Amino acid sequence: MSARSVALLVTVVLVVYFVMLAGRAVALFRTGDPVGIALGAAVLALPLIGMWIAVANLRFGMRTERLARRLAEEGGLPDTAHLPRLPSGRVERDAADAWFAERRAEVERAPEDWRCWFRLAEAYDMAGDRRRARETMRRALELAG
């Protein structure tokens, strides 16, 4: 199953869950009791926050995917096929670290080039640092306009 399919499935499940929570919130509002109304407001806030997070993550994924297609059209997607891999498919740590150092040097040479930031984000992801990968990809998106 592709990452896109998984994201779509998880989003559908979340929407169903949020609708069910919203139904519970409405039921609490209908009690007319101040405590019930307060709880209903709190229960209603959860799906709203969840929807905001889900939409933000989906938008980030779609923007990143568009940027990857753009880079692929330019022939600039990073090629990691030559890197040694573990049986799990992950790149060996030493190779990932060396590849990361090369990408970081690219960014230092051209700090305003979104392509370098995109490849650095890939390097962070390969190294298992998802938080920095997302931050770096956000920088690539900003620079790409």
Side-chain angles (χ1 to χ4, degrees):
M1 187 176 263
S2 72
R4 178 180 272 184
S5 299
V6 170
L8 182 62
L9 178 64
V10 168
T11 302
V12 169
V13 170
L14 279 173
V15 167
V16 170
Y17 177 70
F18 295 153
V19 167
M20 291 172 59
L21 272 179
R24 294 290 177 210
V26 169
L28 286 166
F29 284 137
R30 286 188 179 155
T31 66
D33 181 46
V35 173
I37 293 171
L39 285 172
V43 168
L44 189 57
L46 293 175
L48 293 176
I49 292 168
M51 287 288 237
W52 176 75
I53 291 170
V55 167
N57 281 303
L58 287 171
R59 286 185 62 222
F60 176 78
M62 289 186 301
R63 290 176 64 211
T64 300
E65 198 171 292
R66 276 195 303 269
L67 203 57
R69 277 195 304 271
R70 184 172 157 191
L71 191 57
E73 288 169 3
E74 295 176 2
L77 273 181
D79 180 19
T80 60
H82 66 283
L83 297 174
R85 298 191 178 266
L86 299 170
S88 65
R90 293 197 53 86
V91 175
E92 289 180 7
R93 183 65 184 194
D94 291 341
D97 289 345
W99 199 77
F100 174 83
E102 292 170 14
R103 303 297 73 79
R104 186 174 55 207
E106 273 183 9
V107 167
E108 289 169 358
R109 284 190 303 273
E112 296 303 315
D113 186 352
W114 66 266
R115 294 158 192 86
C116 296
W117 285 95
F118 185 98
R119 287 187 286 267
L120 181 61
E122 291 287 319
Y124 272 123
D125 187 61
M126 188 183 307
D129 192 341
R130 304 279 190 251
R131 185 183 60 80
R132 285 194 178 125
R134 288 180 72 85
E135 289 172 8
T136 306
M137 189 59 74
R138 282 187 187 98
R139 178 71 178 138
L141 289 165
E142 287 172 17
L143 290 170

